[in-house]
Amino acid sequence: MNPSWQKSSYCSEGSSCVHVAATATRTVELTESSDPSGAILTAAPAAFAALIRDAKRPAGARTA
């Protein structure tokens, strides 16, 4: 089954956007729109959630 990719809401009309998809095997896949079938990163949902938390953390903020 092909993943249903969602484009980042922070992506403008450029060609370098992050796409994310949930899979049937309960993993999260990430790819770049300029080469969607090239490199696909697979992560556990908890690891993806940690990535998002860190990305949203203000620069210089301390981790717990």
Side-chain angles (χ1 to χ4, degrees):
M1 175 156 96
N2 290 333
S4 178
W5 296 103
Q6 295 180 339
K7 182 169 64 170
S8 167
S9 61
Y10 288 96
C11 182
S12 61
E13 295 299 316
S15 63
S16 283
C17 300
V18 174
H19 289 204
V20 179
T23 68
T25 59
R26 299 184 185 263
T27 60
V28 179
E29 292 185 344
L30 294 100
T31 190
E32 182 182 359
S33 61
S34 64
D35 188 11
S37 62
I40 297 176
L41 173 69
T42 301
F48 180 69
L51 172 69
I52 297 303
R53 275 193 308 275
D54 281 351
K56 289 181 175 182
R57 184 172 318 180
R62 292 184 170 199
T63 58

